Short mmCIF file of all heavy atoms in Angstrom, two decimals:
data_model
loop_
_atom_site.label_atom_id
_atom_site.label_comp_id
_atom_site.label_asym_id
_atom_site.label_seq_id
_atom_site.Cartn_x
_atom_site.Cartn_y
_atom_site.Cartn_z
N GLU O 137 -12.63 5.43 6.72
CA GLU O 137 -13.47 4.42 7.37
C GLU O 137 -12.64 3.19 7.76
O GLU O 137 -12.79 2.64 8.86
CB GLU O 137 -14.61 4.01 6.43
CG GLU O 137 -15.57 3.00 7.02
CD GLU O 137 -16.67 2.60 6.04
OE1 GLU O 137 -17.23 3.50 5.37
OE2 GLU O 137 -16.96 1.40 5.97
N ILE O 138 -11.76 2.77 6.86
CA ILE O 138 -10.91 1.60 7.14
C ILE O 138 -10.01 1.87 8.34
O ILE O 138 -9.78 0.98 9.15
CB ILE O 138 -10.10 1.20 5.88
CG1 ILE O 138 -11.04 0.67 4.80
CG2 ILE O 138 -9.03 0.16 6.22
CD1 ILE O 138 -10.40 0.45 3.43
N THR O 139 -9.53 3.11 8.50
CA THR O 139 -8.64 3.41 9.64
C THR O 139 -9.33 3.23 10.98
O THR O 139 -8.67 3.11 12.00
CB THR O 139 -8.08 4.85 9.58
OG1 THR O 139 -9.13 5.79 9.77
CG2 THR O 139 -7.34 5.12 8.29
N LYS O 140 -10.66 3.21 10.98
CA LYS O 140 -11.42 3.14 12.24
C LYS O 140 -11.79 1.71 12.66
O LYS O 140 -12.39 1.52 13.72
CB LYS O 140 -12.70 3.97 12.13
CG LYS O 140 -12.46 5.43 11.80
CD LYS O 140 -11.60 6.12 12.82
CE LYS O 140 -11.40 7.59 12.49
NZ LYS O 140 -10.19 8.13 13.06
N VAL O 141 -11.43 0.69 11.85
CA VAL O 141 -11.80 -0.68 12.22
C VAL O 141 -11.01 -1.13 13.45
O VAL O 141 -9.90 -0.67 13.69
CB VAL O 141 -11.59 -1.68 11.04
CG1 VAL O 141 -12.41 -1.27 9.82
CG2 VAL O 141 -10.13 -1.85 10.69
N LYS O 142 -11.61 -2.03 14.20
CA LYS O 142 -10.93 -2.59 15.37
C LYS O 142 -9.87 -3.58 14.90
O LYS O 142 -10.09 -4.34 13.96
CB LYS O 142 -11.93 -3.29 16.28
CG LYS O 142 -12.91 -2.35 16.97
CD LYS O 142 -13.73 -3.10 18.00
CE LYS O 142 -14.81 -2.29 18.65
NZ LYS O 142 -14.52 -0.95 19.04
N THR O 143 -8.71 -3.54 15.57
CA THR O 143 -7.60 -4.41 15.19
C THR O 143 -7.10 -5.20 16.40
O THR O 143 -7.42 -4.88 17.55
CB THR O 143 -6.42 -3.60 14.61
OG1 THR O 143 -5.95 -2.68 15.60
CG2 THR O 143 -6.83 -2.83 13.36
N GLY O 144 -6.31 -6.22 16.11
CA GLY O 144 -5.69 -7.04 17.15
C GLY O 144 -4.56 -7.84 16.54
O GLY O 144 -4.10 -7.56 15.43
N ASN O 145 -4.11 -8.85 17.26
CA ASN O 145 -3.03 -9.71 16.80
C ASN O 145 -3.62 -10.97 16.17
O ASN O 145 -4.57 -11.53 16.70
CB ASN O 145 -2.11 -10.09 17.95
CG ASN O 145 -1.45 -8.87 18.57
OD1 ASN O 145 -1.22 -7.87 17.90
ND2 ASN O 145 -1.13 -8.95 19.84
N ARG O 146 -3.04 -11.40 15.04
CA ARG O 146 -3.51 -12.62 14.39
C ARG O 146 -2.39 -13.20 13.54
O ARG O 146 -1.72 -12.48 12.80
CB ARG O 146 -4.72 -12.30 13.51
CG ARG O 146 -5.44 -13.55 13.02
CD ARG O 146 -6.84 -13.26 12.55
NE ARG O 146 -6.81 -12.67 11.22
CZ ARG O 146 -7.86 -12.22 10.58
NH1 ARG O 146 -9.05 -12.25 11.14
NH2 ARG O 146 -7.76 -11.72 9.38
N SER O 147 -2.20 -14.49 13.66
CA SER O 147 -1.21 -15.22 12.85
C SER O 147 0.18 -14.59 12.94
O SER O 147 0.90 -14.50 11.95
CB SER O 147 -1.66 -15.30 11.39
OG SER O 147 -2.91 -15.92 11.28
N GLY O 148 0.56 -14.15 14.13
CA GLY O 148 1.88 -13.56 14.33
C GLY O 148 2.02 -12.13 13.84
O GLY O 148 3.12 -11.59 13.78
N HIS O 149 0.92 -11.51 13.47
CA HIS O 149 0.94 -10.14 12.97
C HIS O 149 0.16 -9.23 13.91
O HIS O 149 -0.83 -9.64 14.51
CB HIS O 149 0.32 -10.05 11.57
CG HIS O 149 1.06 -10.84 10.54
ND1 HIS O 149 2.11 -10.33 9.82
CD2 HIS O 149 0.93 -12.13 10.14
CE1 HIS O 149 2.58 -11.25 9.01
NE2 HIS O 149 1.88 -12.36 9.18
N GLN O 150 0.60 -7.97 14.01
CA GLN O 150 -0.07 -6.98 14.85
C GLN O 150 -0.90 -6.05 13.98
O GLN O 150 -0.68 -5.93 12.78
CB GLN O 150 0.97 -6.15 15.61
CG GLN O 150 1.81 -6.96 16.57
CD GLN O 150 2.88 -6.09 17.22
OE1 GLN O 150 3.48 -5.23 16.59
NE2 GLN O 150 3.11 -6.34 18.50
N ASN O 151 -1.86 -5.38 14.60
CA ASN O 151 -2.69 -4.36 13.94
C ASN O 151 -3.50 -4.94 12.78
O ASN O 151 -3.72 -4.28 11.77
CB ASN O 151 -1.84 -3.18 13.45
CG ASN O 151 -0.95 -2.62 14.54
OD1 ASN O 151 0.25 -2.72 14.47
ND2 ASN O 151 -1.55 -2.04 15.56
N VAL O 152 -3.95 -6.19 12.93
CA VAL O 152 -4.76 -6.87 11.91
C VAL O 152 -6.23 -6.59 12.21
O VAL O 152 -6.68 -6.78 13.35
CB VAL O 152 -4.50 -8.39 11.93
CG1 VAL O 152 -5.37 -9.10 10.89
CG2 VAL O 152 -3.03 -8.69 11.71
N PRO O 153 -7.00 -6.14 11.21
CA PRO O 153 -8.43 -5.93 11.45
C PRO O 153 -9.10 -7.20 11.97
O PRO O 153 -8.84 -8.30 11.46
CB PRO O 153 -8.96 -5.55 10.06
CG PRO O 153 -7.80 -4.89 9.40
CD PRO O 153 -6.61 -5.70 9.87
N LEU O 154 -9.94 -7.04 13.00
CA LEU O 154 -10.64 -8.19 13.58
C LEU O 154 -11.70 -8.73 12.62
O LEU O 154 -12.00 -9.91 12.63
CB LEU O 154 -11.25 -7.81 14.93
CG LEU O 154 -10.25 -7.37 16.00
CD1 LEU O 154 -10.97 -7.00 17.29
CD2 LEU O 154 -9.20 -8.45 16.26
N GLU O 155 -12.26 -7.84 11.81
CA GLU O 155 -13.16 -8.25 10.72
C GLU O 155 -12.44 -7.91 9.42
O GLU O 155 -11.98 -6.78 9.24
CB GLU O 155 -14.50 -7.51 10.81
CG GLU O 155 -15.32 -7.93 12.01
CD GLU O 155 -16.70 -7.28 12.02
OE1 GLU O 155 -17.20 -6.90 10.94
OE2 GLU O 155 -17.27 -7.16 13.11
N ASP O 156 -12.35 -8.88 8.52
CA ASP O 156 -11.58 -8.70 7.29
C ASP O 156 -11.96 -7.44 6.52
O ASP O 156 -13.15 -7.17 6.30
CB ASP O 156 -11.75 -9.90 6.36
CG ASP O 156 -10.98 -11.13 6.83
OD1 ASP O 156 -10.16 -11.01 7.77
OD2 ASP O 156 -11.19 -12.21 6.25
N VAL O 157 -10.94 -6.67 6.13
CA VAL O 157 -11.09 -5.56 5.20
C VAL O 157 -10.55 -6.10 3.88
O VAL O 157 -9.34 -6.27 3.72
CB VAL O 157 -10.32 -4.32 5.67
CG1 VAL O 157 -10.44 -3.20 4.64
CG2 VAL O 157 -10.82 -3.86 7.03
N VAL O 158 -11.45 -6.40 2.96
CA VAL O 158 -11.09 -7.13 1.74
C VAL O 158 -11.00 -6.19 0.54
O VAL O 158 -11.90 -5.41 0.27
CB VAL O 158 -12.13 -8.24 1.44
CG1 VAL O 158 -11.71 -9.04 0.21
CG2 VAL O 158 -12.30 -9.16 2.65
N LEU O 159 -9.89 -6.30 -0.17
CA LEU O 159 -9.74 -5.68 -1.48
C LEU O 159 -10.32 -6.73 -2.44
O LEU O 159 -9.65 -7.70 -2.77
CB LEU O 159 -8.26 -5.38 -1.77
CG LEU O 159 -7.93 -4.38 -2.87
CD1 LEU O 159 -6.45 -4.12 -2.92
CD2 LEU O 159 -8.50 -4.71 -4.19
N GLU O 160 -11.56 -6.54 -2.80
CA GLU O 160 -12.29 -7.56 -3.58
C GLU O 160 -11.79 -7.64 -5.02
O GLU O 160 -11.65 -8.72 -5.57
CB GLU O 160 -13.79 -7.26 -3.55
CG GLU O 160 -14.34 -7.33 -2.13
CD GLU O 160 -15.72 -6.71 -1.98
OE1 GLU O 160 -16.11 -5.85 -2.81
OE2 GLU O 160 -16.42 -7.10 -1.03
N LYS O 161 -11.51 -6.46 -5.61
CA LYS O 161 -11.05 -6.43 -7.00
C LYS O 161 -10.29 -5.13 -7.24
O LYS O 161 -10.69 -4.08 -6.77
CB LYS O 161 -12.24 -6.50 -7.96
CG LYS O 161 -11.85 -6.47 -9.43
CD LYS O 161 -13.02 -6.77 -10.33
CE LYS O 161 -12.64 -6.74 -11.80
NZ LYS O 161 -11.50 -7.53 -12.17
N ALA O 162 -9.18 -5.25 -7.97
CA ALA O 162 -8.42 -4.08 -8.40
C ALA O 162 -8.45 -4.04 -9.92
O ALA O 162 -8.33 -5.09 -10.56
CB ALA O 162 -6.99 -4.17 -7.89
#
Side-chain angles (χ1 to χ4, degrees):
E137 182 181 317
I138 292 170
T139 67
K140 302 301 181 205
V141 302
K142 291 188 185 318
T143 61
N145 298 331
R146 192 162 78 185
S147 302
H149 297 272
Q150 297 176 321
N151 309 112
V152 179
L154 299 179
E155 292 185 24
D156 285 350
V157 177
V158 183
L159 198 174
E160 297 165 337
K161 180 171 180 51

